[in-house]
Amino acid sequence: MSDIKPVHTDSGIPIDVRYNAQSKNATPALEEPGVFPFTRGVQSDMYRGRLWTMRQYAGFSTAEESNKRYHYLLNQGVMGLSVAFDLPTQIGYDSDHALAEGEVGKVGVAIDSIEDMQTLFKGINLQDVSTSMTINATGYILLSLYVALAKQQGADLSKISGTIQNDILKEYAARGTYIYPPKPSMRIITDIFEWCSKDLPKWNTISISGYHIREAGSTAVQEIAFTLSNGKAYVKAALEKGLDINVFGKRLSFFFNAHNNLFEEVAKFRAARKMWAKIMKELGATDEKAMMLRFHTQTGGSTLTAQQPLNNISRVTLQTLAAVMGGTQSLHTNGYDEALSLPTEEAARIALRTQQIVAFESGAADTVDPLAGSYFVEALTAEVEAKAWELMGKIDAMGGSVTAIEEGFMQDEIARSAYEYQRNIENGSKIIVGVNKFQVAEEQHPPVFKIDDSIRRIQSEKLAALRAGRNAALAAQSFANIEAAAKDGSNLMPHVISAVENKCTLGEISDVLRQVFGEYK
């Protein structure tokens, strides 16, 4: 046995050759799904009661083009929409701003105003769909636009459901689409918590995101440790504002990545649920629903290869199984061609069909937590949990996530893991099929989806017409109201909703707060 090569997960957890009842932590705790600490799932019947929401992340070019893709996806059986925004929208610049050049409509849809939002959801009743918006620094503006449109449609706001990502801490740690410094950014987030708890009760006010932490190169252990630490920071900020943890705690959601190591990923999801339940209980939650970790999953974009791209269908299938057997509430599956471009319609359809095949043909959804009681999975869940608590302990000792980010701790840890992973690929100890082993000569690539550079001109013309046709006095008063609220500490949300209804643009509103809060460098 001594000559058997040692094996570790990417988180550095050693894997035994075999597991049995005598293996450390291999015997499951006597826990049931649907009860604290929710290791086995947040519902007692999981997918036998209701399948996960099948989402497809889409958004590109203009609102008109994205609207066509949404109608296509809804017709194909998608149960919820998930909106991607272009970089100018994400960092608070209108499409006609000099810094937006070359980026308008490229990695998502360009949304500058209420008119774009009307077009984006044309023919879609917001009361009938659940919409997830991947937006952070300008999340408060996009939510305001969505609310303004729902009001125009005559919707009952108490029935509107969906999520804004609204997770600014991971932007500082891993992704970079921040605008304001951490403290005012946290203030905006707690304003959203407060406003939604009263006026938009079914809305998930934040999707605390490990996805981008993992995409930046973290391990599975780092993904949950850093994400749950960020979650603690948001909860503490809300508590300092005087909000009720048993109210806002029910509207917190999480967003995780699913990678290729099936068993480590399932263990990660199980451990994260257990850890969050304990964290929320320690922070004062008494309602079990406020202790539940509910999460959306997206398959791993960074795992997709440009080489032999059809192999990505197999990778996404593995990742889908991991998310489902790990108990996700919502799932987006990536297109096989996304290492090359935005997904084509064919790739988006295959990605959705992958979810449907797992749901209706694989049997994975037939019983709750199907890998529970596996000696291997139970031991691995305990190992992931222990390592994540250890890392969270270091962050707590530093004073929490905000300090850990300001001091560069999270960024350095992620960079080190990314470097080690890449080095292992290059030295061949980590095999990526088609990349460093089993290569073939490739000449043909699948058709790629390209975005026309004329979109910036189209958006700029729309903006000029909007500004020329709006009531200038109402717009000016809206800006003054936002500035006053930013300075006196009153809740920003009612003023921003009013501003977008008065046809103020995303870039203009962002600039008002830039003047008050400054920009983070």
Side-chain angles (χ1 to χ4, degrees):
M1 295 292 287
S2 59
D3 59 347
I4 291 179
K5 180 183 171 185
V7 171
H8 295 78
T9 71
D10 291 332
S11 297
I13 296 170
I15 301 301
D16 294 343
V17 174
R18 68 178 69 84
Y19 288 79
N20 56 35
Q22 283 67 53
S23 300
K24 184 181 176 183
N25 295 315
T27 307
L30 296 175
E31 292 177 5
E32 289 298 320
V35 295
F36 182 89
F38 310 107
T39 311
R40 299 197 57 205
V42 294
Q43 286 108 13
S44 60
D45 56 2
M46 282 305 288
Y47 307 130
R48 288 288 284 272
R50 179 175 177 268
L51 285 173
W52 64 93
T53 301
M54 297 182 194
R55 296 188 187 277
Q56 281 307 106
Y57 188 47
F60 53 87
S61 181
T62 60
E64 288 89 347
E65 290 302 311
S66 293
N67 178 260
K68 290 176 189 173
R69 178 66 66 91
Y70 292 151
H71 281 285
Y72 171 78
L73 290 169
L74 289 166
N75 288 334
Q76 294 296 314
V78 155
M79 297 146 67
L81 299 175
S82 194
V83 187
F85 299 95
D86 71 0
L87 280 174
T89 303
Q90 291 182 48
I91 54 176
Y93 293 117
D94 288 330
S95 298
D96 59 358
H97 193 285
L99 291 176
E101 187 167 358
E103 292 294 345
V104 177
K106 289 291 173 70
V107 298
V109 62
I111 298 293
D112 295 316
S113 72
I114 186 67
E115 292 181 355
D116 288 332
M117 197 60 114
Q118 289 163 346
T119 304
L120 185 66
F121 290 102
K122 186 177 180 181
I124 298 169
N125 189 332
L126 300 190
Q127 202 167 298
D128 296 339
V129 295
S130 166
T131 303
S132 172
M133 295 189 279
T134 304
I135 195 72
N136 296 285
T138 54
Y140 66 105
I141 304 175
L142 271 300
L143 178 58
S144 296
L145 287 163
Y146 196 85
V147 168
L149 178 59
K151 286 165 69 178
Q152 287 180 1
Q153 290 185 353
D156 179 350
L157 293 187
S158 69
K159 295 178 180 173
I160 294 292
S161 66
T163 305
I164 44 169
Q165 192 163 98
N166 197 29
D167 176 5
I168 203 66
L169 290 178
K170 70 97 176 43
E171 295 297 329
Y172 302 117
R175 193 162 170 269
T177 65
Y178 44 74
I179 303 173
Y180 316 113
K183 285 188 172 64
S185 294
M186 293 290 278
R187 175 262 173 100
I188 293 170
I189 287 169
T190 55
D191 278 2
I192 294 168
F193 286 3
E194 182 179 50
W195 185 84
C196 287
S197 68
K198 297 168 188 165
D199 293 273
L200 208 65
K202 287 183 73 176
W203 194 265
N204 295 320
T205 50
I206 193 166
S207 176
I208 305 158
S209 176
Y211 183 85
H212 302 98
I213 289 170
R214 191 70 177 278
E215 288 294 285
S218 83
T219 65
V221 164
Q222 288 170 333
E223 180 187 354
I224 60 169
F226 294 161
T227 306
L228 299 185
S229 289
N230 289 348
K232 274 178 75 174
Y234 293 125
V235 171
K236 287 181 175 180
L239 289 171
E240 286 169 13
K241 197 178 177 80
L243 304 184
D244 184 345
I245 192 170
N246 288 319
V247 176
F248 75 79
K250 295 175 188 174
R251 303 302 346 146
L252 305 178
S253 65
F254 287 80
F255 174 25
F256 289 120
N257 212 312
H259 273 219
N260 291 328
N261 189 322
L262 178 70
F263 299 105
E264 185 177 42
E265 293 301 294
V266 171
K268 176 188 80 178
F269 296 132
R270 298 173 92 242
R273 266 194 302 271
K274 184 177 183 181
M275 292 173 73
W276 185 246
K278 290 180 176 179
I279 288 166
M280 288 296 276
K281 193 168 189 177
E282 286 172 8
L283 288 171
T286 54
D287 187 326
E288 285 206 343
K289 287 190 175 176
M291 304 176 201
M292 290 179 179
L293 183 146
R294 297 167 301 110
F295 66 98
H296 169 71
T297 309
Q298 182 173 336
T299 56
S302 61
T303 68
L304 303 179
T305 65
Q307 300 92 332
Q308 302 177 39
L310 288 173
N311 291 345
N312 293 328
I313 297 173
S314 298
R315 293 185 176 102
V316 170
T317 304
L318 270 176
Q319 294 162 12
T320 300
L321 279 168
V324 169
M325 292 198 285
T328 195
Q329 276 63 66
S330 167
L331 179 62
H332 162 83
T333 33
N334 289 331
Y336 69 84
D337 54 0
E338 286 190 58
L340 302 166
S341 72
L342 290 169
T344 57
E345 277 197 359
E346 179 198 43
R349 184 175 66 248
I350 291 171
L352 175 61
R353 294 289 181 259
T354 301
Q355 292 200 50
Q356 292 164 336
I357 289 167
V358 168
F360 299 109
E361 297 185 30
S362 74
D366 290 350
T367 190
V368 180
D369 193 21
L371 294 181
S374 153
Y375 297 133
F376 176 36
V377 170
E378 295 292 353
L380 196 51
T381 300
E383 286 274 8
V384 168
E385 182 188 354
K387 279 185 167 287
W389 280 128
E390 182 183 348
L391 195 48
M392 287 186 75
K394 293 180 182 178
I395 294 167
D396 287 342
M398 298 172 75
S401 274
V402 175
T403 306
I405 289 165
E406 288 174 342
E407 294 183 7
F409 172 75
M410 286 192 192
Q411 299 92 313
D412 290 346
E413 288 286 301
I414 294 167
R416 179 180 53 77
S417 296
Y419 171 75
E420 288 177 2
Y421 184 81
Q422 187 59 36
R423 188 177 63 179
N424 290 338
I425 292 172
E426 290 176 8
N427 67 28
S429 60
K430 176 75 179 175
I431 292 170
I432 307 295
V433 172
V435 175
N436 63 355
K437 199 162 187 178
F438 313 113
Q439 299 105 316
V440 295
E442 293 182 84
E443 293 179 5
Q444 295 293 319
H445 281 303
V448 297
F449 188 81
K450 291 196 178 295
I451 299 297
D452 192 328
D453 282 324
S454 67
I455 289 157
R456 182 165 184 257
R457 176 182 53 77
I458 294 166
Q459 285 297 112
S460 298
E461 288 169 359
K462 282 199 244 175
L463 278 164
L466 174 96
R467 292 188 184 116
R470 73 187 177 190
N471 184 316
L474 282 177
Q477 186 59 54
S478 296
F479 298 139
N481 292 342
I482 292 170
E483 182 180 357
K487 288 177 176 175
D488 69 23
S490 56
N491 197 299
L492 286 163
M493 284 300 294
H495 303 293
V496 178
I497 293 167
S498 177
V500 299
E501 288 174 332
N502 290 330
K503 300 192 177 180
C504 298
T505 70
L506 173 134
E508 291 169 338
I509 294 167
S510 299
D511 282 345
V512 172
L513 295 190
R514 279 187 178 95
Q515 293 300 314
V516 179
F517 297 147
E519 290 190 80
Y520 184 71
K521 303 294 184 186

